[in-house]
Structures are given as C-alpha cells and as structure tokens.
Amino acid sequence: ADGNGTMSRPSSSSGDPEERLCQISLQRHELMKRWEASEQTAISHLNDYSNNLLLYRSLQAKGFVSASVEEPCSDEAALYVQLSEAIVDLKGLIEKQVALCDKMAANDQLLQLQLTKFDASTLLPSGATGLQIGKASSSLVSQYRSELDLHTRIVAHVSRSHNRQQLLLYLTAWLEQPHLDLELKNLLPC
C-alpha cells in the first residue's frame, strides 16, 4: 500500500510471471473490446452515410433536388453536410483504430518479452504453449493492421460511391472483418 492507503500496482519487472502474463493478456482483451466498440460506431456511420446518400439520389431522380451542386436548396445543403460529417466521422474512427493497433503492437512486445520467462513448451493457463501464444499474439496484431488497411480503403471508396450495391458491398466488407481470426484470441492466457 502507498501513503494514501491504496494498493500500488506491481511493476512490470516484479511479481509472478504467470500473473504478469495474465495482466498483459487482459490489456489485450480490453484493446480488442475497444476495437469492437469502434466497429459498431463505424457501422452506424456507414449506415447513416448510405441512407443519406440513397435519400439524396432518390430525391434527385424524382426532381426534388437540383442536379446542380452550385445552388443547392437548404434541404440539399443539410444532406451534403450530413454526408460530409459521416465521412469525417469515419476518418476519425480510422485514426482511433490506428492508435488501437499501435497499442496492440506495444502490448504484443510486452507479451513476447514476458513469454521469454517460460520454456517454449510449457503449458500456460490458456492450455497453449508460450510458443503458440507468441505466434497467435503476433498474428493478431498483423490481422488487425490488415483490417485497418481495409477500413482505410473502404472509407476512401465510400466517399466516392454513388450506388446502393457498392455501398452494401463496402458495408458487408466492413462487417465481415475478413482479416480477423478471432479464434486466435482464445490462445491468449486469461
């Protein structure tokens, strides 16, 4: 306990190696939860963008909005603003996901360092060996970076997309998270 009566956190160099490994893994799980939360927000923004774009295209086809961008009516201007805001929000989410990937990479380095304290064939709390955990952790970081790259490309394409089929394709690609094998997270201890 410190002078305030609260428990101080053990430093990364002290304590039981299995306990420290567990702490690092729990931090990784928290980062993965934050990624999932950002995914839900992104889906919401993509849906908003798609709905607003489709509404705009529908109104334009029926002659309710001008084909000219130079002189939009106030409703049109509001739709333009909403479309632009959705793209800005998605780009902001991408920046947050970049930060999450960087934190996952740093977490992976800590995990790899902690794994050096175990024999590569020793079974750890997850039932996997240190070697398996190390490979799974590094692979997850690489997969999240690949997913981030896909998200970046999707946002660039969505901002230029003009039809429903393309928007649905991009939304599906984002939802599917094709680069992530989340079964690997089961190998992480704790």
Side-chain angles (χ1 to χ4, degrees):
D2 63 16
N4 297 328
T6 58
M7 295 298 293
S8 60
R9 195 173 165 174
S11 70
S12 60
S13 61
S14 66
D16 178 34
E18 282 190 30
E19 183 181 318
R20 181 65 183 135
L21 189 62
C22 213
Q23 289 172 348
I24 294 168
S25 293
L26 290 173
Q27 290 168 352
R28 170 70 62 85
H29 287 295
E30 181 58 35
L31 291 169
M32 291 167 64
K33 284 180 187 176
R34 288 173 51 195
W35 177 278
E36 287 304 314
S38 75
E39 288 293 284
Q40 295 306 313
T41 302
I43 297 303
S44 175
H45 290 311
L46 281 167
N47 276 329
D48 289 347
Y49 180 83
S50 299
N51 291 337
N52 285 330
L53 183 64
L54 294 174
L55 174 64
Y56 176 76
R57 296 285 179 224
S58 173
L59 292 174
Q60 191 176 39
K62 293 176 182 175
F64 292 115
V65 294
S66 68
S68 169
V69 176
E70 289 88 29
E71 296 182 29
C73 69
S74 63
D75 289 341
E76 261 182 277
L79 250 137
Y80 282 134
V81 168
Q82 289 174 346
L83 289 169
S84 297
E85 286 174 350
I87 294 300
V88 168
D89 290 344
L90 283 168
K91 288 178 180 178
L93 266 162
I94 295 293
E95 290 173 14
K96 288 179 182 177
Q97 289 185 334
V98 166
L100 282 171
C101 282
D102 291 345
K103 288 177 183 176
M104 284 183 198
N107 178 274
D108 180 56
Q109 289 175 346
L110 286 173
L111 184 78
Q112 300 298 337
L113 181 64
Q114 192 64 27
L115 286 171
T116 63
K117 297 178 181 175
F118 298 94
D119 183 297
S121 61
T122 302
L123 283 180
L124 296 167
S126 65
T129 65
L131 183 61
Q132 290 170 320
I133 291 170
K135 286 181 180 180
S137 177
S138 295
S139 182
L140 274 172
V141 170
S142 176
Q143 290 174 14
Y144 275 100
R145 290 223 184 263
S146 294
E147 197 66 25
L148 175 63
D149 183 52
L150 174 65
H151 292 175
T152 303
R153 285 185 274 136
I154 287 173
V155 170
H157 289 290
V158 162
S159 64
R160 295 186 304 256
S161 182
H162 298 290
N163 72 52
R164 184 172 191 224
Q165 288 78 21
Q166 284 179 332
L167 290 171
L168 288 174
L169 175 70
Y170 297 136
L171 183 60
T172 301
W174 196 300
L175 278 169
E176 287 296 316
Q177 300 185 64
H179 298 288
L180 296 182
D181 177 6
L182 296 179
E183 291 298 314
L184 286 177
K185 74 179 179 182
N186 295 334
L187 288 177
L188 299 177
C190 302

